[in-house]
RNA sequence: GCGCCUUUAGCUCAGCUGGUAGAGCAACGGACUCUUAAUCCGCAGGUCCUGGGUUCGAUCCCCAGAGGGCGCACCA
């Protein structure tokens, strides 16, 4: 029944007197619902009634635009040092969301928030007049407002704007979370990111850091003559990495397509084409588990530089990440496991086989008999699958014994050929490649190598992959004939790099989870009632 | 996929061998011209995640399921 009917016949109750909705406008709840709303529904109904009231008195709760003269940070930086009790004649027009309201009788203090900061509006009944004062008093937390006034400080010294007018820019129908405790429920924070961003400065900061990292990467690469490109997301072959792909279908072509798992093979086609220095920042998709460090879609930057090898690429990696740290956080020092690490210092370079030897006390090399490595693996509780060769076993030993301890930035180099089908063989060791992976805080952040550019050898490596796939390895690749044709035209010596941007953002934002640096992380769908 | 934890008002959280629920904030009514999570008085607000079971009786115990978190596995 309508909220004003008090149990009487509800069939002709649209103009009951004394209630809050006698403005000749049927409320939404009356249109949709014959029952009195409670809780959240009552709150929404109340606010919808306020919208109707404002419209009936000739003001629009959702105006089209507002001329803002300053951001809230602008006001703070220009007037941040005023003494308490100062009035200025500095006119400003501000816009923001009402976050706090302190109604003091004939004074109202509103704290508004824009993307730069928060600021207090000082509203005096004597200044704005009775009618407007009542409209301001009727504002709710969450409403967007525009305010005109002059900069002042209160007797206690709080920087404020003495408002001559406050206009509603958008009425919020749904209440904000708790003004003090904010929004902490992780599920709600990820699903309703809008509410998280309104309430949590730490969340806004994480995404600011992410933005600065990407902007910094672009600046660094522009300064080194790199060109940004875009390549297909829909792939006929999902190559360039070891991962299970997402499968999709194109109707008009009636064909199966994969979402890309890496950017690599298309970018190297561009190196063949003579573009010399290219990079792409883009989303890749891997159909694997979700964890605090894994999201099914994530963002990589990959770059390729002609005439360079993996040593050059390691230097670029250091520059990119150190610059990004300074640009995003103001410092090259990051906290890892609660200890400071200065990224500006040179990063350790060490071969994977040497790390395994260090950890196990046993010399390892991909050339040694498989049985010896199987035995070593079992001593370190590493389960070995039948189709794994010596190289794969060494990688597993590395992951089990060494990886987690690589807290300070470390380039792990010299990956076995078996696990590196696109990397060039080490010029000094035919069983290893000129490859590196960067580990920081025990996590892989980047991967790069001297690119294999010999089309005959590349075909052999692809065929090895395909054999592995046939043997049941779901992450193994296939022979990409078009890529081989490209290599046949001749790819210059090239160094390549891939960096997981989400992982860098986790590191530099000090985030606990990848979900804290992805605006809309992958979640199971929410079930909506009705 | 497996294990552990978790789900109570819009938000943040209590809830006693098992006797059908409370607080703070937000909201509503009232007081207040310098507040700072304003304060004070008053009032209202619930599918206790869902479905079964045990019981005279279930937010609580049992079973199954759902969402989320963490760890393991997979991976970057």
């Amino acid at each position: 029944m309508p909220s004003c009917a008090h149990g009487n016949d509800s069939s002709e109750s649209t103009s009951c007197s004394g209630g809050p909705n006698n403005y000749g406008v049927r409320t939404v709840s009356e249109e949709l619902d014959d029952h009195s709303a409670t809780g959240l529904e009552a709150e929404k109904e109340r606010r919808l009634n306020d919208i109707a009231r404002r419209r009936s008195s000739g003001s629009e709760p959702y105006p089209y635009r507002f001329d803002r003269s300053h951001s809230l940070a602008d006001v703070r930086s220009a007037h941040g040092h005023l003494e308490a009790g100062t009035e200025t004649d500095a006119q400003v027009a501000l816009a923001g969301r009402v976050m706090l309201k302190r109604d003091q009788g004939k004074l109202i203090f509103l704290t508004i928030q824009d993307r730069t900061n928060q600021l207090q509006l000082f509203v005096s009944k004597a200044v704005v007049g009775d009618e407007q004062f009542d409209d301001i008093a009727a504002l709710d937390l969450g409403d967007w407002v525009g305010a005109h006034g002059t900069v002042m400080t209160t007797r206690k010294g709080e920087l404020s704007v003495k408002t001559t007018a406050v206009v509603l820019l958008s009425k919020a129908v749904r209440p904000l979370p708790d003004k003090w405790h904010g929004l902490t429920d992780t599920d709600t924070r990820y699903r309703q990111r809008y509410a998280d961003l309104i309430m949590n400065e730490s969340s806004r900061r994480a995404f600011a850091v992410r933005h600065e990292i990407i902007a910094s990467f672009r600046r660094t690469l522009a300064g080194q003559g790199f060109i940004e490109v875009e390549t297909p997301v829909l792939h006929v072959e999902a190559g360039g990495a070891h991962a299970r792909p997402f499968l999709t279908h194109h109707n008009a072509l009636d064909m199966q397509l994969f979402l890309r798992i890496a950017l690599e093979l298309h970018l190297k086609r561009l190196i063949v084409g003579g573009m010399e220095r290219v990079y792409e920042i883009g989303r890749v998709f891997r159909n694997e588990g979700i964890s605090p460090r894994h999201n099914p879609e994530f963002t990589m930057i990959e770059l390729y530089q002609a005439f360079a090898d993996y040593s050059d690429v390691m230097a670029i990696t250091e520059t990119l990440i150190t610059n990004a740290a300074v640009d995003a956080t103001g410092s090259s020092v990051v906290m890892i496991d609660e200890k400071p690490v200065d990224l500006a210092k040179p990063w350790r370079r060490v071969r994977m086989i040497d790390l395994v030897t260090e950890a196990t006390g046993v010399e390892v090399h991909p050339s040694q008999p498989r049985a010896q490595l199987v035995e070593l693996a079992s001593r370190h509780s590493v389960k070995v699958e039948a189709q794994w060769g010596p190289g794969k076993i060494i990688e597993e030993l590395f992951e089990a014994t060494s990886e987690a301890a690589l807290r300070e930035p470390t380039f792990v180099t010299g990956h076995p050929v078996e696990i590196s089908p696109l990397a060039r063989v080490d010029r000094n060791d035919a069983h290893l490649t000129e490859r590196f992976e960067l580990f920081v805080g025990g996590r892989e952040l980047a991967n790069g190598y001297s690119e294999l550019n010999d089309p005959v050898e590349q075909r052999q490596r692809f065929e090895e992959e395909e054999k592995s796939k046939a043997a049941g390895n779901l992450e193994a690749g296939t022979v990409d004939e078009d890529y081989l044709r490209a290599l046949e035209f001749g790819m210059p010596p090239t160094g390549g790099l891939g960096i997981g941007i989400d992982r860098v953002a986790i590191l530099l934002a000090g985030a606990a989870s990848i979900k804290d640096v992805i605006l809309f992380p992958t979640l199971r769908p929410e079930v909506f009632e009705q």
Side-chain angles (χ1 to χ4, degrees):
Chain A
M1 70 190 72
S3 56
C4 56
H6 298 300
N8 296 323
D9 178 11
S10 61
S11 62
E12 45 185 23
S13 58
T14 53
S15 62
C16 55
S17 60
N21 53 359
N22 54 345
Y23 301 101
V25 179
R26 278 172 65 89
T27 66
V28 167
S29 71
E30 281 167 340
E31 296 283 357
L32 298 177
D33 187 353
D34 268 353
H35 299 283
S36 284
T38 58
L40 177 60
E41 290 311 307
E43 178 64 12
K44 288 161 103 175
E45 179 180 326
R46 205 204 99 236
R47 295 185 184 212
L48 290 167
N49 287 339
D50 186 59
I51 289 171
R53 180 189 64 78
R54 287 175 190 271
R55 284 193 172 130
S56 69
S57 66
S59 69
E60 175 48 53
Y62 297 101
Y64 282 89
R65 66 185 308 285
F66 180 78
D67 280 312
R68 172 167 69 170
S69 68
H70 298 78
S71 71
L72 303 185
D74 289 340
V75 175
R76 286 200 180 276
S77 63
H79 302 283
H81 301 296
L82 289 178
E83 284 180 22
T86 307
E87 299 225 6
T88 75
D89 53 10
Q91 296 271 351
V92 293
L94 309 176
R97 171 180 263 120
V98 178
M99 298 303 290
L100 294 170
K101 188 173 81 168
R102 294 176 289 278
D103 189 334
Q104 242 273 306
K106 296 188 177 67
L107 286 182
I108 300 172
F109 299 90
L110 295 173
T111 300
I112 65 168
Q113 169 175 296
D114 70 10
R115 76 172 182 180
T116 67
N117 216 314
Q118 293 192 335
L119 195 70
Q120 176 169 278
L121 301 181
F122 177 98
V123 183
S124 166
K125 194 167 194 170
V127 174
V128 300
D130 289 4
E131 196 177 323
Q132 208 197 156
F133 191 81
D134 289 345
D135 278 346
I136 295 168
L139 290 170
D140 287 299
L141 303 189
D143 290 349
W144 286 94
V145 295
H148 296 272
T150 53
V151 177
M152 60 167 278
T153 52
T154 64
R155 287 174 200 162
K156 295 255 177 68
E158 179 77 24
L159 184 65
S160 307
V161 167
K162 185 175 187 176
T163 55
T164 52
V166 177
V167 295
L168 180 59
L169 298 181
S170 179
K171 183 69 192 174
V173 169
R174 183 178 287 266
L176 247 33
D178 191 292
K179 70 181 179 186
W180 179 244
H181 298 97
L183 181 65
T184 60
D185 182 76
T186 51
D187 189 31
T188 311
R189 284 184 50 232
Y190 299 145
R191 288 186 194 281
Q192 301 181 32
R193 183 66 84 182
Y194 32 87
D196 178 42
L197 291 168
I198 292 167
M199 300 307 296
N200 292 317
E201 158 64 21
S202 60
S203 184
R204 294 193 292 274
R205 188 186 153 273
F207 293 107
V209 165
R210 185 187 174 106
H211 164 257
E212 293 297 341
I213 290 166
I214 293 171
S216 175
F217 282 173
R218 287 200 164 104
R219 274 195 300 276
T220 298
L221 293 175
Q224 297 191 19
F226 281 84
I227 292 167
E228 183 169 7
V229 298
E230 293 182 278
T231 64
V233 171
L234 298 175
H235 283 193
V236 175
E237 318 240 14
H242 286 142
R244 296 177 67 174
F246 284 92
L247 191 57
T248 187
H249 181 264
H250 188 273
N251 289 339
L253 296 175
D254 188 22
M255 67 183 291
Q256 169 181 282
L257 288 167
F258 298 99
L259 301 187
R260 66 184 174 188
I261 58 173
L263 314 176
E264 176 156 358
L265 296 178
H266 281 94
L267 292 177
K268 286 195 285 194
R269 284 171 169 91
L270 301 178
I271 298 296
V272 170
M275 293 180 79
E276 294 193 6
R277 294 184 183 200
V278 296
Y279 75 98
E280 177 168 7
I281 295 171
R283 201 74 55 84
V284 298
F285 306 85
R286 299 191 181 176
N287 205 340
E288 281 155 0
I290 293 176
S291 84
R293 286 160 292 283
H294 303 263
N295 197 63
E297 48 181 308
F298 62 102
T299 303
M300 290 198 58
I301 179 169
E302 288 195 24
L303 66 85
Y304 294 85
Q305 177 174 342
F307 320 122
D309 68 6
Y310 77 141
S311 299
D312 300 304
V313 176
M314 280 189 270
I316 292 171
T317 307
E318 287 194 34
T319 303
L320 280 170
I321 292 178
T322 305
N323 284 355
V326 172
D327 290 341
T329 71
S331 167
S332 62
V333 177
V334 296
M335 296 301 290
I336 300 173
D337 300 335
E338 291 164 11
K339 289 176 193 154
V341 172
D342 189 353
L343 299 174
K345 291 181 181 164
W347 298 354
R348 183 186 180 199
R349 301 182 183 192
V350 58
R351 295 192 305 175
M352 181 181 281
I353 55 173
D354 295 335
L355 281 169
V356 174
T357 298
E358 204 173 278
T360 63
V362 178
E363 199 85 20
V364 298
H365 194 271
S367 63
Q368 73 195 110
R370 182 175 182 280
Q372 281 178 15
L373 290 164
V374 169
E375 193 273 326
L376 185 61
S378 73
R379 264 197 277 152
H380 290 86
S381 315
V382 174
K383 285 181 202 144
V384 176
E385 293 183 19
Q387 73 269 24
W388 292 358
K392 176 66 175 170
I393 298 170
I394 286 170
E395 183 188 35
E396 293 287 327
L397 277 165
F398 160 72
E399 288 177 3
T401 63
S402 309
E403 180 176 324
L406 300 176
R407 193 170 64 86
E408 306 237 346
T410 305
F411 288 116
V412 176
T413 66
H415 298 57
V417 175
E418 177 189 341
I419 57 167
S420 310
L422 298 162
R424 190 163 183 168
V425 165
D426 190 301
R427 65 198 76 180
N428 300 313
D429 186 332
H431 293 90
L432 304 181
T433 57
E434 296 198 354
R435 178 179 174 189
F436 67 87
E437 287 180 307
L438 170 66
F439 289 86
V440 184
R443 295 171 191 162
E444 185 190 340
L445 291 193
N447 179 24
Y449 31 86
S450 301
E451 302 295 337
L452 176 57
N453 62 349
D454 176 338
V456 175
E457 185 179 348
Q458 183 66 73
R459 178 176 291 280
Q460 289 166 357
R461 303 271 201 98
F462 275 154
E463 284 169 355
E464 289 298 316
E465 285 283 300
E466 207 161 57
K467 256 188 252 170
S468 171
K469 195 180 190 72
N473 181 358
L474 295 167
E475 285 92 37
T478 52
V479 178
D480 186 331
E481 290 292 348
D482 179 73
Y483 178 69
L484 291 170
R485 177 167 60 193
L487 290 190
E488 286 168 2
F489 280 102
M491 183 165 82
T494 298
L497 170 67
I499 302 177
I501 287 182
D502 312 85
R503 294 271 178 91
V504 177
I506 291 170
L507 175 70
L508 297 184
S513 167
I514 197 169
K515 290 183 170 73
D516 295 320
V517 299
I518 292 177
L519 283 166
F520 299 101
T522 305
L523 297 171
R524 285 199 163 86
E526 187 176 359
V527 176
F528 287 93
E529 304 283 324
Q530 290 167 351

